[in-house]
Amino acid sequence: MPSVFFFEDECEDKFLLGNKGANLVTMTKLGLPVPPGFIVSIEAYREYQRSGKLPLEELRRALSWLQKKTGKKLGDGLSVSVRSSAPASMPGMMDTVLNLKDEDKIISAVKRVFDSWDNLRAVEYRRLNKIPSDLGTSAIVQAMVLGNKEKNSGTGVVFTRNPNNGQKRLFGEYLDRAQGEDLVSGKRTPQPIETLRLQMPEVYAELERVADILERHFRDMQDVEFTVEDGKLYVLQTRSGKRSGRAAVRIAIDMVKEGIISPEEAILRLTPEDVRALLYKQLKPPVQYRPVAQGLSACPGAASGKVVFDPLEADTKARLNEAVILVRPETSPEDIQGIHAAEGVLTSRGGLTSHAAIVTRAMGKPCVCGAETLNIDLKEETLTIGDLVIRKGDEITIDGDTGNIYLGALPLQEAEATTELKELMSWADSYKRLGVWANADTVEMILQAKKFGAEGIGLCRTERQFNSPERLSAIREFILAQTPAERSEAINHLQRLQKEDFIDIFRALDGMPIIIRLLDMPLHEFLPSEEETTDPQVKERLRELREVNPMLGHRGVRVGVTFPEIYQMQIDAISEARAEVPANVAIMVPQVITVQELLWVKKYIKDPALKVGIMMETVRACMRAGKLAQEADFFSFGTNDLTQAVFSFSREDVERKFLTTYLELGILEHNPFQILDIKGVGRLMETAVSWARKEKKTLEIGVCGEHAGEPLSIRFFHRIGIDYVSCSPFRIPTTKLVAAQAALEQKGAPISAPSESAAKDASSVS
Ligand code: ADP
Ligand code: MG
Ligand code: MG
């Protein structure tokens, strides 16, 4: 094999030529104006590494070819650059040597470029970006074009489309009478690319033509380096351009319309983060406020709320529906709950890879970090910026897109389901197999879910409806009732209230199916705490109801069986509401362990049109999936509780106390509450699905819970034949995207046999 490859050769192998080199060959083939040259291959680099020797013979021959090709002699009208080129993007990390005029200098320069693979900067960059250290680099030798001539010359970098918003128009910088290095070094301030259009309209038009050819060939937005010598355009480099999430979506959609890519490709190349970027809240324009400070934009989106310094307090406040911004010097794993509860997070220390930044990004929660002008006093609970003192409870707004911090709660606007989003979703809908439903308890959330394209409501919890004061007092009356008469009066009251709720909900559904879950919460949670009450009767009842471990105690269907009035009341309220507003309703029973429980609840149901299914959230239910399938109309895996049960974990304790250590030590690969534990919980699910379907082929099986919106987990649910996932309304678009990706990726790939796919899942932690 030769050690030197010419731009005019056939070979476009990036593992031999590096990205830059391979793309120069491609551009030459496309007939674009590329200064001629050749590439000393990565194989030659390897040989150089082993023996210290360069292929001098070939190099010299190539140089004399270059002189013939250009009709100029080295040092007499011809100079060359020697450029690095690796199979991975390592922008600016290795050496480039320009303006070389004799053979010996060129041979030192090739060595220098090869050696620069191992310079400190490059090594550190590879380590941070997980780029294998044995990829190696080639050295490109290319005839120089001179952008630093006096007239009609210059250099620039353009994106073929706007990387911030995706608009189809050249976007970039130009510097006249300059070479590439002048542009990067920042010695002279470049002008917008618009200047080139004004100074040399034909060159600009040529650049647009080049951009179009490149985009159509590479089928993506490009980031192009070019130089103009004496009014003639030369292209020196192209690569796919980095872009914001919003731009990524717009570019993908536009490229489908321009016939550059197919809708399938658009779906496959977008990431959930790209789509999520369309859903963040933003400051309502026009934004004419002056920020009081600025930090790093760690996670996009805007949020406002009262300043809180204590994570636990953030949690308490959020439970009372108060919007809070958690302000800390920096965050640590103990603060997770507070971060969860807050609308947004603001820190004065730490960069874009700090704990706060990473955690908020995973949650999609607005975050500004490392705002160093902030002086946070945790003891006094104050935040000082210069003369300005902000106290606990004062309202602020943070903008994770800009890193700006504002005083007061500024008007924000919710993400709208834009035409772009709708278009993308219609493609996703046409490829995906998984149904995408929403978890929604209120009319507001149902409307939200519809806006984002939910196909049904997969989990409507009834707990939330007891939260308002009137309902809370009604259920307390029931719990505290002394006589059967009191009890039945209380239950009738509740039934009237629930019926009203369901009527509102059914109206909002407007034909969409809904699964209503019967009461799941332990009863004592509806009572005040012991300290809060002086009423001896309440105290007495509290003592009776007290549990050692409420989450494993008297809750779910167990309450339904022992207090039959409650489930009966809920079921009757649903039936009565349905009689007034027709709706496609199914009832779901939580915490089931045995078929007898299900049969028991079924006795309460008089309306044959009401389907009854169960939450699959106990290990026993999974082990009895076949039997349960005979009696249930559908299953819905509650993966949060199921994960707790399979791991014997109590989520809050685990996340607060030791999960981080486990992740750091590699004992666990992920937080199993965020990413489904495929090998354990997943395998149990897969087994349950196959047993259930053996009994009832057509059994509808869904997943509700946080995992239903998480990409890796969604792929797994697709693989094991889950029918639908039900996630929070805001996650619907990303969930649909991933569901479509899963279906497209699987096309052609064989479906693995049940209970093998979980075990085969490639990961180091078993
Ligand atoms: P990197 O991309 O790793 O920073 P390059 O190999 O692209 O390094 O070189 C940096 C810059 O040097 C280029 O953007 C270009 O402006 C200039 N340059 C490189 N080779 C030539 C050449 N043959 N003619 C004119 N300018 C060149
Ligand atoms: Mg470059
Ligand atoms: Mg549950």
Side-chain angles (χ1 to χ4, degrees), residues 517 520 555 590-591 615 617 638-642:
R517 186 178 72 186
D520 186 25
R555 64 177 288 204
Q591 298 291 337
M615 287 282 283
E617 54 186 343
T639 52
N640 301 354
D641 275 350
L642 191 58

Side-chain angles (χ1 to χ4, degrees), residues 140-215:
I140 300 167
V141 179
Q142 185 176 26
M144 285 294 298
V145 281
L146 305 176
N148 51 357
K149 285 196 173 169
E150 266 311 305
K151 267 174 64 190
N152 294 338
S153 301
T155 189
V157 179
V158 280
F159 287 88
T160 52
R161 300 181 194 225
N162 185 313
N164 299 322
N165 60 27
Q167 193 186 31
K168 190 179 180 186
R169 185 171 197 191
L170 295 185
F171 176 98
E173 294 176 331
Y174 179 70
L175 194 57
D176 65 358
R177 283 168 293 149
Q179 284 194 317
E181 306 284 86
D182 306 326
L183 195 73
V184 239
S185 72
K187 263 183 268 166
R188 279 173 58 198
T189 313
Q191 288 124 15
I193 194 66
E194 196 58 17
T195 13
L196 178 65
R197 197 173 70 86
L198 297 175
Q199 286 178 8
M200 290 184 271
E202 317 79 47
V203 175
Y204 186 87
E206 171 74 353
L207 189 58
E208 279 184 319
R209 194 183 67 91
V210 167
D212 192 58
I213 293 172
L214 287 175
E215 278 198 344

Side-chain angles (χ1 to χ4, degrees), residues 434-508:
L434 271 176
V436 178
W437 295 36
N439 301 341
D441 312 332
T442 61
V443 168
E444 199 192 356
M445 284 176 84
I446 289 171
L447 296 178
Q448 195 76 263
K450 266 171 77 178
K451 198 164 82 179
F452 288 114
E455 292 150 42
I457 301 300
L459 175 63
C460 173
R461 303 176 185 88
T462 47
E463 278 74 21
R464 180 78 80 90
Q465 294 160 13
F466 293 108
N467 268 351
S468 74
E470 188 189 3
R471 285 156 173 70
L472 195 59
S473 72
I475 190 144
R476 281 181 183 172
E477 271 165 34
F478 168 76
I479 298 169
L480 299 172
Q482 301 279 18
T483 64
E486 273 175 33
R487 239 166 113 134
S488 100
E489 191 183 324
I491 215 78
N492 286 338
H493 186 194
L494 278 171
Q495 187 165 326
R496 279 196 303 278
L497 297 173
Q498 287 253 283
K499 182 181 161 189
E500 282 168 24
D501 291 335
F502 290 133
I503 284 179
D504 289 344
I505 284 175
F506 294 170
R507 285 216 175 94

Side-chain angles (χ1 to χ4, degrees), residues 557-609:
V557 65
R558 299 156 221 164
V559 174
V561 169
T562 48
F563 294 89
E565 301 97 319
I566 295 182
Y567 276 17
Q568 184 71 66
M569 173 276 285
Q570 290 196 301
I571 291 166
D572 289 347
I574 291 168
S575 297
E576 286 173 18
R578 224 170 68 85
E580 287 183 30
V581 182
N584 179 353
V585 186
I587 286 173
M588 182 149 74
V589 190
Q591 298 291 337
V592 167
I593 51 170
T594 165
V595 75
Q596 279 75 18
E597 286 169 327
L598 177 58
L599 291 172
W600 188 266
V601 175
K602 273 180 139 181
K603 282 195 302 196
Y604 303 150
I605 301 171
K606 288 153 222 131
D607 180 350

Side-chain angles (χ1 to χ4, degrees), residues 20 81 83 92 96 98 142-145 180-181 225 236-237:
K20 199 188 290 172
S81 62
R83 319 171 62 187
T96 302
L98 299 183
Q142 185 176 26
M144 285 294 298
V145 281
E181 306 284 86
E225 296 178 3
L236 293 169
Q237 187 174 339

